[in-house]
Amino acid sequence: MKAVKLMYLETIHPAAIILLGLASFRLTRLIVYDKITEFFRRPFFNEIEKENEEGVSEIYLLPKDKGMKRWVGELLSCFWCTGIWVSIFLYGLYLLKNPAGDAVILVLSIAAIGSVFEVVIAKIMGD
C-alpha cells in the first residue's frame, strides 16, 4: 500500500508551527478570558448572581438563551472551541504571507512566551 504524502506539511518549518501555536494560545486566551475583551463577550452572556455557602455573592456568566447570541456565547465559553477557530484564522494569515499578518502572529507569540514566564515566576515567588 502506497503512503499518502501531504506535500504542504513537509514545507512548513517547525518554527512556524511553534509560532502559530503560541499565537493561537495567546489570542484564544485574550478572547475567552482577558478583561480587556470583556466588552466583546458581554452581549452573548447573561449574568447570574448567586450566594455561595459562605454567604458571598458570586457572578456566573451563562450563554444567552437562544439564537446566534447563544451560539456565540457557547463558543466563547469554550477555550478549546474558540482555539480551533483562532487557529484557522491565524493559519490563514500565515498562508497570505503578508508582513502585517506575520507581525500579528509574531507579537501574539512573544506575548504568549511572556505570559508563560509571568505565571512561572509568580508561582516561584509565591504570588
Side-chain angles (χ1 to χ4, degrees):
M1 186 183 271
K2 188 175 180 179
V4 176
K5 284 191 170 187
L6 299 173
M7 299 301 279
Y8 188 72
L9 288 178
E10 293 176 358
T11 64
I12 296 177
H13 195 280
I17 294 171
I18 292 169
L19 287 175
L20 285 166
L22 288 166
S24 177
F25 162 74
R26 187 62 201 106
L27 185 55
T28 301
R29 286 201 62 83
L30 181 69
I31 292 169
V32 175
Y33 296 116
D34 289 357
K35 190 149 185 78
I36 195 169
T37 56
E38 191 174 281
F39 75 94
F40 171 74
R41 294 187 304 270
R42 188 173 293 121
F44 305 103
F45 292 94
N46 292 318
E47 280 189 10
I48 307 297
E49 190 171 344
K50 289 192 175 181
E51 202 171 285
N52 65 17
E53 292 103 25
E54 292 86 35
V56 177
S57 199
E58 294 179 341
I59 296 176
Y60 296 93
L61 298 175
L62 297 174
K64 295 280 185 181
D65 295 332
K66 58 185 173 186
M68 183 61 87
K69 285 190 176 187
R70 178 181 176 84
W71 184 82
V72 174
E74 291 285 346
L75 176 68
L76 292 175
S77 66
C78 174
F79 180 83
W80 305 108
C81 305
T82 302
I84 289 172
W85 293 106
V86 164
S87 296
I88 292 169
F89 168 74
L90 291 172
Y91 184 60
L93 279 182
Y94 172 78
L95 289 177
L96 290 174
K97 299 194 183 307
N98 182 305
D102 290 348
V104 168
I105 291 167
L106 187 58
V107 166
L108 288 168
S109 298
I110 293 167
I113 292 168
S115 298
V116 170
F117 282 150
E118 178 59 34
V119 169
V120 169
I121 296 299
K123 293 285 183 190
I124 290 170
M125 301 299 284
D127 292 342

